[in-house]
Amino acid sequence: MSVTRDQLLSVLDSYVHPLIGRGLVAAGAVARAEVQDDTAQVVIELGFPVQGISADLAQELGAKLNAELGLIAELAIGKRIDTHGARANLQTLPGIRNIIAVASGKGGVGKSTVAANLALALHAEGARVGLLDADIYGPSQPRMFGVSSARPTSPDGKRMNPVPAHGIQTMSIGYLVDEDQPMIWRGPMVTQALGQLLNETIWDDVEYLVIDLPPGTGDIQLTLSQRIPVSGAVIVTTPQEIALLDAKKGLQMFRRVEVPVLGIVENMAWYDCGDHRDYIFGQGGGERMAAQYGVELLGQLPLSTPIREQADNGQPIVVAAPDGEAAQTYRQIARRAAAQLAYGTPAADFPTIEISDD
């Protein structure tokens, strides 16, 4: 008895990948499913870049189709990156499908390093990626990407081409001023400069624009959240309570302005002493925060000399040691964040706290 297409679809929908959280049919991931004789011809298009998991996914799915239907599987696993998350009153920006803001409540937690490696990890997973350095006062991405002496070109004297670096499109105020020149600007000038960097750059079909925000919850963060179609935010923290206090404020700010929080990255989670791990800044802070606010812990990264050295040298760890443990962790974080953007469900609403004189 021959296998029908409905039977094939049923088996495909019974396969639930942990990054998707539902069957492939329910997720809208089955672009083609046909049965010819004893062969299943299947094309899967996931809503996030899949280069790091496509081979394993194909093997698992092929084995499942053979075991349950007796079919030989001809599988093609790809991606289809749609636009997500932008509020209804905000239009998408030309050349950009999704904007992911990387934020922290305080400085010194390695947010810029995480932003750089997250962008490079998304690229390594097969996405078209841009990076905007929104820290007007302290731009660091040109140095991290090894292009601090670069200057953007312009086709018309009005708009700028992004500076290519390690396969992604980058833009920063650091390309327009000397590296040691301080930006002594008031808030309105800073937000205006950010708007120009974002809107006057000719982004070329960027599937994910990663924005490295300055620390805090001030003018730049508020302007970005309210006026720009941010698809989701990633919160970076270290495990100690002082950092968590400020990270929670950053998370709550994005919720206030209806920007989905994709998850938390716990940076400097431990120091590897060879025979043991030293939890210098405490242990489990990011995990506790994620549980408290109903968001995902995207990953934990160590306090690492190579990560710091490679960033200083213009070769972030995802590029410098792509097969190393840190790079693979960043790629896992990138997949989780992108999958959360594509398939995640909003966190449960928190109660509104009202204070009155009664």
Side-chain angles (χ1 to χ4, degrees), residues 8 269 280 327 346-347:
L8 173 59
I280 298 173

Side-chain angles (χ1 to χ4, degrees), residues 123-345:
H123 171 66
E125 286 294 308
R128 294 180 61 86
V129 182
L131 176 71
L132 174 64
D133 186 353
D135 195 343
I136 302 298
Y137 293 119
S140 55
Q141 296 300 346
R143 171 61 68 91
M144 286 189 180
F145 276 82
V147 287
S148 54
S149 62
R151 294 293 181 265
T153 60
S154 174
D156 53 14
K158 298 178 181 179
R159 299 174 299 158
M160 300 175 290
N161 293 311
V163 175
H166 300 307
I168 71 173
Q169 305 169 43
T170 71
M171 181 51 64
S172 171
I173 194 72
Y175 295 138
L176 307 176
V177 299
D178 292 335
E179 194 171 37
D180 59 353
Q181 178 181 338
M183 306 305 295
I184 309 173
W185 289 352
R186 295 188 185 275
M189 295 178 65
V190 172
T191 55
Q192 181 180 357
L194 173 61
Q196 289 180 304
L197 288 175
L198 179 62
N199 293 297
E200 295 178 11
T201 298
I202 307 171
W203 304 105
D204 182 14
D205 190 24
V206 168
E207 293 171 325
Y208 301 101
L209 178 67
V210 176
I211 299 186
D212 177 18
L213 286 176
T217 55
D219 286 344
I220 289 182
Q221 293 85 351
L222 198 58
T223 296
L224 180 79
S225 304
Q226 292 181 328
R227 301 181 187 176
I228 296 171
V230 179
S231 307
V234 171
I235 307 297
V236 181
T237 187
T238 48
Q240 76 267 37
E241 291 301 320
I242 295 299
L244 292 169
L245 285 173
D246 291 330
K248 291 173 183 178
K249 294 173 185 176
L251 185 150
Q252 291 289 56
M253 182 205 72
F254 283 110
R255 284 188 165 175
R256 282 285 187 92
V257 294
E258 300 178 350
V259 172
V261 175
L262 304 178
I264 295 168
V265 174
E266 185 183 87
N267 200 26
M268 308 182 199
W270 64 81
Y271 182 76
D272 192 347
C273 298
D275 59 342
H276 71 282
R277 289 178 174 179
D278 187 355
Y279 296 92
I280 298 173
F281 299 115
Q283 187 173 358
E287 186 175 5
R288 291 192 300 272
M289 179 178 166
Q292 179 182 354
Y293 290 95
V295 299
E296 185 173 358
L297 180 64
L298 297 173
Q300 296 171 297
L301 292 153
L303 180 62
S304 165
T305 299
I307 291 177
R308 192 272 305 166
E309 286 180 339
Q310 296 300 345
D312 284 350
N313 293 333
Q315 294 278 329
I317 199 71
V318 169
V319 172
D323 297 324
E325 184 177 353
Q328 293 306 309
T329 299
Y330 271 117
R331 290 183 66 166
Q332 184 181 63
I333 289 170
R335 288 192 297 268
R336 286 176 174 173
Q340 185 72 13
L341 185 59
Y343 300 113
T345 56

Side-chain angles (χ1 to χ4, degrees), residues 81-145:
I81 309 300
D82 297 323
T83 299
H84 301 282
R87 299 200 304 275
N89 61 327
L90 295 175
Q91 293 184 340
T92 57
L93 300 179
I96 303 171
R97 299 191 202 178
N98 296 286
I99 295 177
I100 298 176
V102 179
S104 65
K106 70 188 301 294
V109 299
K111 169 190 52 59
S112 292
T113 302
V114 170
N117 281 290
L118 173 62
L120 290 167
L122 286 166
H123 171 66
E125 286 294 308
R128 294 180 61 86
V129 182
L131 176 71
L132 174 64
D133 186 353
D135 195 343
I136 302 298
Y137 293 119
S140 55
Q141 296 300 346
R143 171 61 68 91
M144 286 189 180
F145 276 82

